[in-house]
Amino acid sequence: MKLPPALLSIGLGAAAAIGFAPLNLWPVTLACLAWWLLLVHDAPSLRAVLLRGWLFGLGYLTVANLWIQRAFTYQDAMPAWLGYPAVVLLALYLAIYPMFAAGLAWRLASPRASGDSATLPGGSFVLVAGAAWIVTEWLRATMLTGYPWDPLAAIWLPAIGVARATAWIGTYALSGLTVVLAGSLLLLVTQRRWRLTAPMIAATALLGLSALGDRTVPATPADAPRVRVIQPDLDQEQRPREDYAETNLATIEALMGTPGPAPRLIVWPEGALRFFVEDGYPPEWYWRGRAPEVRARIASHLGPRDIVLAGGNGLLFDAQGKLTAATNAIFAIDSRGRLLGRYDKAHLVPWGEYLPARPLMSAIGLSRLVPGDTDFRPGPGPASLGLPGFGLIGFQICYEIIFSGHVVDRAHRPRLIFNPSNDSWYAPSGPAQHLAMARLRAIEEGLPVIRATPTGISAIVDADGIVRAHIGFDRPGAIELPIPSAHPPTLFARAGNLMAALVAIGLLALAVAIRRRAR
């Protein structure tokens, strides 16, 4: 029985999503992409191809984002069952970007667009499809605040030699080349066109094999700075409890470890610190100890050169002492209980950290997924904070890390990126995918990425994207290693997503050359 193209498209998209973490079945993704490209090429009309592109995206981006559903189980203002429709509604929008990619490839390079129904897919069609995917995946990361979750490039992390191409061309360009590779497999199966496909397949295989055995850790002096990552494993279900703040802090204190000869950068998850540590707030906002007392309590666990990076909240008040906004922040506290600085999250999550169109949404009974009526205020953007004994440290809170080309203050390049997150809202596939995208940022920028989360997956990732240590999902613990070395700035770190544009232009130019030669 032959499936209708529309049903086949949505099924191929759903199956393609299992190539991402935690299953990492990337050959399935390539096969699904190849089959989908054939459906796109053979579509009889632009309307048909747009439907096939949109349905493929609907399947792919629904399955990829199913982890979001669990967040609704923590929200009393909206029913838990709404989680699944919310994921589908999000995918209904996100699917327009694969739809546009399909439409561009068909209109510009499929002979079916000019009425030729006998021609098989050719090299120019495959190359244009790759260029179109680059453009539309970048648009998905940019439009309406952007949401580039699970770019196609992320399937290559198990074959990290391929993923390391992002150090040169970035994530979106590698995603486009993934489409080209899938198209090459399509040409090989349908036409046995070795001349066009063999170089692409061989290059991918060589890159994948290039990382075999590359797991050595360079020796470091005993007094070299170290990083200690703490994962308390306190779930969101404990937040409503009155003793949550104290329980959380006590659990973290038990994991702080013993000071040694080397200075330690001790990192806590996003929002782990439920006490306020800044001075100057109205007295009623402090609970069981003012800010200096809380900072002194934290400092009592530190060696003389240790520094804590703690996720918490900053508050903003008007002249009358009324709360006007909050910030999702990271605070640096030294062994003398001094507050060394603060980073405020810049790329806030709609529906999580602020409610879009609040008067309208509130009127129809919708609210934020995160408890609280006060919206967060965004910070200025990627920033580096100089810490004594550690140098410049960069910060990206939670899903800020998924935005390729927007995670580093390029004027003040840090030695590492600290990425605290709170993934305890979500099903296990979400944290695994989040870690995968943090690894891509490490490769792109040539910088270690340190992740600390309440329930996992916390990790120390080196500048090659290799996880040197981690704490699994839903378990407490701490990991400590010498701070991995940074690489010199990569080509992508210097040029950013200009590289994606250049690769897209190169694919289009090659497609034109192939078409002219065929004529």
Side-chain angles (χ1 to χ4, degrees):
M1 177 179 175
K2 187 177 180 180
L3 292 176
L7 185 60
L8 188 55
S9 294
I10 196 169
L12 289 171
I18 69 175
F20 298 95
L23 296 178
N24 293 315
L25 299 176
W26 57 267
V28 175
T29 303
L30 288 180
C32 291
L33 281 170
W35 197 345
W36 174 66
L37 286 172
L38 181 61
L39 292 177
V40 170
H41 177 273
D42 290 348
S45 66
L46 180 60
R47 180 177 180 177
V49 78
L50 291 176
L51 179 62
R52 295 175 190 186
W54 184 74
L55 289 173
F56 178 86
L58 181 61
Y60 152 42
L61 293 160
T62 296
V63 174
N65 286 284
L66 279 175
W67 51 271
I68 294 175
Q69 179 275 334
R70 187 168 180 255
F72 282 77
T73 65
Y74 299 115
Q75 174 55 267
D76 293 334
M78 291 181 283
W81 61 261
L82 190 58
Y84 290 108
V87 172
V88 175
L89 286 171
L90 175 63
L92 290 174
Y93 158 67
L94 296 174
I96 68 173
Y97 297 102
M99 180 187 76
F100 288 149
L104 286 170
W106 187 86
R107 173 59 73 186
L108 297 177
S110 174
R112 304 300 174 102
S114 55
D116 186 348
S117 61
T119 305
L120 291 170
S124 61
F125 170 76
V126 169
L127 293 167
V128 172
W133 193 278
I134 292 172
V135 172
T136 55
E137 194 170 87
W138 175 82
L139 285 172
R140 179 160 70 92
T142 305
M143 303 300 292
L144 301 178
T145 80
Y147 185 68
W149 193 267
D150 276 351
L152 281 181
I155 69 170
W156 292 113
L157 284 162
I160 199 166
V162 180
R164 285 178 185 165
T166 58
W168 296 86
I169 59 175
T171 290
Y172 307 132
L174 181 57
S175 292
L177 292 181
T178 301
V179 172
V180 173
L181 176 61
S184 298
L185 296 174
L186 172 64
L187 298 182
L188 183 61
V189 170
T190 58
Q191 303 176 53
R192 301 293 192 270
R193 298 181 68 172
W194 287 98
R195 182 179 299 179
L196 288 174
T197 61
M200 185 73 178
I201 296 170
T204 304
L206 288 173
L207 285 172
L209 292 171
S210 68
L212 290 179
D214 185 13
R215 298 275 172 176
T216 58
V217 179
T220 56
D223 60 348
R226 302 175 67 84
V227 61
R228 183 176 181 86
V229 181
I230 290 176
Q231 181 170 300
D233 193 34
L234 289 177
D235 199 17
Q236 290 297 328
E237 292 177 356
Q238 298 181 357
R239 278 186 181 270
R241 287 172 38 177
E242 195 170 308
D243 63 344
Y244 177 83
E246 176 61 34
T247 300
N248 202 47
L249 183 55
T251 304
I252 290 173
E253 287 175 316
L255 295 169
M256 291 283 279
T258 304
R264 299 179 304 160
L265 189 65
I266 304 174
V267 297
W268 298 5
E270 176 189 14
L273 184 60
R274 311 308 297 177
F275 297 102
F276 298 117
V277 295
E278 291 186 299
D279 298 318
Y281 294 173
E284 62 269 20
W285 287 94
Y286 296 107
W287 184 63
R288 294 189 183 178
R290 298 183 66 84
E293 296 167 342
V294 176
R295 297 197 304 265
R297 177 176 169 180
I298 294 170
S300 68
H301 300 278
L302 304 181
R305 295 187 293 166
D306 294 349
I307 292 176
V308 163
L309 296 178
N313 294 139
L315 302 180
L316 303 169
F317 300 89
D318 61 18
Q320 288 72 43
K322 180 182 178 182
L323 179 68
T324 58
T327 66
N328 188 348
I330 304 168
F331 300 97
I333 301 170
D334 71 6
S335 60
R336 296 169 60 184
R338 296 178 300 181
L339 189 61
L340 301 180
R342 184 182 95 186
Y343 168 80
D344 291 332
K345 184 179 181 182
H347 206 133
L348 301 179
V349 181
W351 305 97
E353 290 163 318
Y354 70 95
L355 184 63
R358 175 172 282 279
L360 175 61
M361 295 296 120
S362 298
I364 61 177
L366 297 180
S367 64
R368 287 169 38 194
L369 289 175
V370 178
D373 296 325
T374 302
D375 284 340
F376 284 79
R377 189 186 74 173
S384 298
L385 182 63
L387 300 179
F390 297 97
L392 290 174
I393 305 298
F395 301 91
Q396 291 288 285
I397 298 178
C398 194
Y399 97 140
E400 285 186 310
I401 200 70
I402 75 174
F403 292 90
S404 173
H406 297 280
V407 299
V408 168
D409 179 358
R410 303 196 184 281
H412 304 92
R413 179 176 167 83
R415 70 178 297 177
L416 62 83
I417 300 171
F418 174 41
N419 173 223
S421 186
N422 185 354
D423 295 347
S424 62
W425 296 92
Y426 307 118
S429 62
Q433 293 166 17
H434 207 169
L435 173 60
M437 286 176 279
R439 293 175 65 191
L440 286 177
R441 300 294 85 76
I443 299 168
E444 284 179 337
E445 301 293 343
L447 294 172
V449 173
I450 312 300
R451 278 182 53 79
T453 72
T455 57
I457 304 169
S458 300
I460 298 173
V461 181
D462 71 13
D464 291 314
I466 295 174
V467 178
R468 294 298 181 185
H470 77 283
I471 310 170
F473 185 75
D474 203 22
R475 65 186 65 173
I479 49 177
E480 183 175 326
L481 287 177
I483 294 177
S485 300
H487 293 326
T490 63
L491 178 60
F492 181 83
R494 296 180 184 276
N497 282 314
L498 172 62
M499 298 308 302
L502 293 176
V503 172
I505 292 169
L507 292 176
L508 290 173
L510 187 56
V512 170
I514 290 174
R515 180 176 291 185
R516 287 183 175 177
R517 184 177 179 181
R519 290 175 180 173

